[in-house]
């Protein structure tokens, strides 16, 4: 008999991203840092969306108000399925993640030079400003 429980626990030991199909219908790709019986600790979750005009997939931030320099928690009860991404999706995720991390690091260096007044004037970026990769 196959022991799926051992396979499942070992499935996330590498640092490859995973695609999650959520109960809401969303599909996200993220790097799994840790998992237990109830939660996934993930980094840089990006939503996989479909552009019907260009007939292509693209990636965008999944949670616009979240701090992407920190890990996030994904409840196991909100997940329908987990899989390994196709190579092209994985490559685009790696590139988006690299650029996002570089942007976060650049912002951290700039933050040291800002005053409290400048913090109050920070605007929330709209979806038009979020880079997408096809």
């Amino acid at each position: 008999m196959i022991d799926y429980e051992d396979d499942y626990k070992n499935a996330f030991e590498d640092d490859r991203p995973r695609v999650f199909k959520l109960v809401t219908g969303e599909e996200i790709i993220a790097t799994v840092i840790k998992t237990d019986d109830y939660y996934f600790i993930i980094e840089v979750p990006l939503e996989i969306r479909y552009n019907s005009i260009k007939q292509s997939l693209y990636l965008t931030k999944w949670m616009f108000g979240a701090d992407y320099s920190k890990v996030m928690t994904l409840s196991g009860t909100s997940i329908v399925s987990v899989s390994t991404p196709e190579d092209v999706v994985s490559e685009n995720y790696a590139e988006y993640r690299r650029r996002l991390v570089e942007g976060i690091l650049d912002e951290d260096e700039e933050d040291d030079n800002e005053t409290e007044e400048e913090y109050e004037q920070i605007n929330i970026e709209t979806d038009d400003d979020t880079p997408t990769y096809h």
Side-chain angles (χ1 to χ4, degrees):
M1 185 165 159
I2 299 173
D3 188 0
Y4 290 109
E5 188 172 326
D6 285 341
D7 289 344
Y8 180 75
K9 287 180 181 178
N10 296 328
F12 302 102
E13 288 185 354
D14 59 20
D15 60 351
R16 290 181 302 167
R18 298 291 192 262
V19 175
F20 295 86
K21 179 72 168 185
L22 306 181
V23 295
T24 59
E26 298 167 296
E27 286 188 34
I28 64 170
I29 183 170
T31 302
V32 178
I33 302 302
K34 183 179 176 185
T35 186
D36 64 20
D37 291 339
Y38 304 101
Y39 297 99
F40 287 83
I41 306 301
I42 58 175
E43 283 185 323
V44 191
L46 301 176
E47 186 174 358
I48 302 170
R49 291 190 176 178
Y50 180 72
N51 182 330
S52 59
I53 295 170
K54 293 183 178 181
Q55 297 184 353
S56 63
L57 298 175
Y58 65 97
L59 302 174
T60 187
K61 280 186 175 180
W62 178 48
M63 296 173 51
F64 287 100
D67 181 356
Y68 269 70
S69 68
K70 309 264 191 254
V71 296
M72 299 177 200
T73 304
L74 180 62
S75 172
T77 60
S78 64
I79 300 168
V80 174
S81 180
V82 182
S83 68
T84 304
E86 293 182 14
D87 289 341
V88 67
V89 175
S90 185
E91 290 165 6
N92 282 302
Y93 173 77
E95 178 63 18
Y96 191 114
R97 179 185 169 136
R98 183 186 64 78
R99 290 183 183 198
L100 185 63
V101 169
E102 285 175 358
I104 289 170
L105 295 175
D106 291 343
E107 287 174 11
D108 287 345
E109 291 172 8
E110 292 171 8
D111 286 350
D112 295 338
N113 300 326
E114 292 181 354
T115 64
E116 284 187 30
E117 281 181 23
E118 290 171 322
Y119 282 116
E120 293 173 10
Q121 297 175 9
I122 294 174
N123 295 322
I124 297 175
E125 293 181 13
T126 62
D127 195 30
D128 295 336
D129 296 329
T130 304
T132 57
Y133 299 96
H134 304 271

